[in-house]
Each structure stands twice: as C-alpha cells, then as structure tokens.
Amino acid sequence: MTRIFSGVKPTGHLTLGNYLGAVRQWAAADQGPDEALFCVVDLHALTVEHDPGRVRRLTRQAATLLLASGLDPQRCTLFVQSHVDEHTRLAYLLECTATDGELRRMIQYKEKAAKALAAGEGVRLSLLTYPVLMAADILAYGTQEVPVGEDQRQHVELTRDLAVRFNQRYGHTFTVPRATHPTVAARVMDLQEPTSKMGKSHGNAAGIVHLLDEPEVVVRKVMRAVTDSGDGGVVHDRAARPGAANLLDLLAACTGGDPVELAGGYTGYGALKRDVADAVVELLRPVRERHAELAADPGAVEKVLREGAGRARELARPVVDRAYRAIGLLAP
C-alpha cells in the first residue's frame, strides 16, 4: 500500500483553487485502494493573527466541504490536526533536528514575515517553526506520498531532509516521503491578479471563487476577471497573457479539455468568460448541494472527525514512540 497524507489550513473559506488544485484529486484518485489520510491542519492557522471563533468555524466548514467534495470516511481517514497529540509531540523532536538557517530560508516565512512587519504586527515564532510541524504531520504516519501544490514543494523537501538527518543520527525511524503534483490546474490564479495564486486568505475576495459562493456570485466574479490588453486575440500564453491563460486553464480543468486547443474556439473574451462561468457553476453545484445536506447534520460530521482522529492516533503513536526512543528519551 502507498500511504498518502495531505491537509488544508482553515485560514479562509475553501476556494476553487483549493478544489481544482488539490481536493478534487484527493477524492478522485488519492483515496482507496491505497491508505490515505487527509487533515484540517488547524494548528497552522495560529501562526498569524486570528479570531479563535473563526478558526473553529472554518475548521468545521473545511471538514464538511472535504466530505462534500467526495472524501469517503470508509476509504480514507479524515481528521483535525489538533485532535491528535502525536503531531505536536513529534514536532519538538524535529525542531531539535532542524536548523535556524534552513527555516529562515523558507520562502513563505520570508513573505509572511515581511507582510506582518509591514502591517506593524509582530512575527510569531510559530511562523518560523511551522514547517517543522508540517514535517511532523507527514512523518508521523510513515507517509510515502504528499499531494501538494508547487508552493508547498519546499516544505516537503525540508521534510525529506529532516527525515534523512534523523535517520542518519539516531537510526532508521522515518519513511522519506515524496511530493506528488496534479497535472491540471495545479496552480489556479486570482481572477483579478492573474499572476498571483488564488488564495483563501487573500484580502481582496473579488478575484477569488469560494466553493460556497452562490451561482450568481460566481458568474459576476468570472465576468469581471482581468484580461490582457493589446492585440493578439485569445491565446494560451501564461507569460504574455496571464489573464487569458488563467481563464483557459479554468475551463480546461472544469471540462477536461486542453487549454491551448480551447483557445482556438474563441475570438473574444466575452464568450470565453461566459463559458468559464457556466462551467464553474456546474462543477461546484453538487459540492454546494452536498455541503448543505451535511451542514444540516453537524453531529454526523463530528462523528467522522472523532473516528478519524482515533484511527490517525493509532497509526501515528507507534511511529512517534519509536522516534522518542531513538533520540534518547526515557520511556515512561
């Protein structure tokens, strides 16, 4: 069996980018028959200023949307990170394995720290160390494959480095994982800023399609998408025409077409936007409908998360206990 682990951070409402870049792949290919674990990584949401009540609401909403998107608790393990203590138990051991320099070289740390300082906020220590917690998330389960977007590749490489270093110093303890990446729409861009990723915690929501947006809201956002100035028509060129490329990528991801071939069917952006809007609305319709059903029975979702945490704990505890013994800690 191939053990898979991936997660989503509850820092905002899940977006079309999350769905096309990760969640749809999880539901379609990454759960069964191999063993897969999917986690709402709520501890990662605490690295920046946050509202506690909002984190709880978004954690529950993210879990519900993962189920609505097709994750099946009979075929995978779905749980909340903070419900499994082994994540934080292992994180400290990996902090004792990582170096200050390699954490400060993390691109996301540099970007988020600069943003916090520019806003007059302090930079939390957890922002520096959370890639180590992410490594613990992965290594605690003997994970072999980590389905992630390109923006998380550096974190998986750190995880690999820490696993190898720990194994070399203290004896073989961890499986060294590898990152896997979806082939279509791995990086969905903001409709208003097509050179930036569609992120759920972005300050301007005008370019972000959320999974729970009403159809008319989806249509409005797509129809107002930024396109490219100048002549040349509709072509798929991410460098020269990022607006058109983003729309074509979205249409291809929704319909299963090829973005370059799809470009040949359009002479203007109006028709392209209408087709993209219709395709996105239809893609998200069953997710929204299933979410409404699940949200009406929160007890059922909580049961899934409780049972998932129990299963995750059973898998992680032997690995983490072995790491404690390997590094030299006395058994209780």
Side-chain angles (χ1 to χ4, degrees):
M1 292 189 300
T2 299
R3 178 70 54 79
I4 293 172
F5 178 95
S6 199
V8 61
K9 184 163 56 175
T11 51
H13 301 286
L14 293 189
T15 71
L16 180 63
N18 297 130
Y19 183 75
L20 292 177
V23 177
R24 184 171 66 169
Q25 169 84 9
W26 297 352
D30 292 334
Q31 52 181 349
D34 297 333
E35 192 158 8
L37 299 100
F38 299 106
C39 182
V40 182
V41 287
D42 54 342
L43 294 174
H44 292 302
L46 310 184
T47 60
V48 294
E49 289 292 329
H50 64 277
D51 174 71
R54 185 170 187 266
V55 170
R56 283 191 290 272
R57 290 192 300 273
L58 289 176
T59 297
R60 184 177 294 107
Q61 183 188 89
T64 306
L65 277 169
L66 291 179
L67 291 170
S69 298
L71 290 191
D72 182 353
Q74 301 301 316
R75 301 175 61 207
C76 68
T77 300
L78 175 63
F79 65 103
V80 175
Q81 179 190 32
S82 63
H83 294 176
V84 181
D85 293 343
E86 279 66 28
H87 291 250
T88 50
R89 286 182 63 208
L90 181 55
Y92 182 72
L93 301 193
L94 295 179
E95 284 184 7
C96 296
T97 308
T99 67
D100 175 80
E102 62 190 344
L103 293 182
R104 292 188 185 278
R105 287 194 293 271
M106 292 287 109
I107 294 172
Q108 288 200 22
Y109 170 72
K110 293 179 180 180
E111 293 176 348
K112 292 182 179 181
K115 183 178 179 180
L117 291 173
E121 302 172 356
V123 180
R124 300 187 181 191
L125 179 61
S126 57
L127 185 62
L128 177 67
T129 60
Y130 96 87
V132 178
L133 177 58
M134 180 177 173
D137 299 338
I138 296 166
L139 296 179
Y141 298 99
T143 302
Q144 294 159 295
E145 293 185 357
V146 187
V148 293
E150 282 293 330
D151 59 325
Q152 293 295 326
R153 179 186 290 274
Q154 189 182 33
H155 289 158
V156 179
E157 288 303 313
L158 174 68
T159 301
R160 291 172 53 85
D161 291 343
L162 295 180
V164 170
R165 190 179 307 158
F166 193 101
N167 289 346
Q168 290 174 341
R169 289 179 180 176
Y170 308 115
H172 183 76
T173 305
F174 299 120
T175 300
V176 180
R178 62 183 179 273
T180 60
H181 305 283
T183 56
V184 178
R187 193 171 174 85
V188 179
M189 313 308 280
D190 190 292
L191 293 173
Q192 291 297 312
E193 300 177 30
T195 58
S196 300
K197 188 181 75 166
M198 185 181 286
K200 57 183 176 296
S201 55
H202 196 288
N204 180 11
I208 303 170
V209 175
H210 296 105
L211 297 189
L212 295 180
D213 279 347
E214 295 291 338
E216 59 270 21
V217 174
V218 173
V219 171
R220 182 169 66 249
K221 288 179 177 180
V222 174
M223 296 304 294
R224 294 178 179 176
V226 168
T227 50
D228 311 293
S229 59
D231 297 328
V234 177
V235 295
H236 187 268
D237 185 334
R238 290 190 181 94
R241 294 184 171 276
N246 191 33
L247 290 170
L248 290 165
D249 284 339
L250 285 175
L251 185 59
C254 292
T255 63
D258 177 85
V260 176
E261 294 178 0
L262 288 170
Y266 297 95
T267 57
Y269 289 118
L272 173 60
K273 288 181 176 181
R274 284 192 294 274
D275 285 352
V276 172
D278 291 343
V280 172
V281 167
E282 289 308 308
L283 180 77
L284 298 185
R285 188 184 305 281
V287 176
R288 292 179 59 254
E289 291 175 351
R290 179 59 177 151
H291 176 271
E293 295 173 1
L294 291 166
D297 186 8
V301 176
E302 291 171 4
K303 182 175 183 290
V304 168
L305 296 178
R306 185 167 57 251
E307 293 176 350
R311 170 63 174 154
R313 208 173 292 120
E314 291 175 0
L315 294 172
R317 185 167 296 161
V319 178
V320 177
D321 286 348
R322 184 166 66 245
Y324 267 59
R325 290 193 300 272
I327 206 170
L329 298 176
L330 188 66

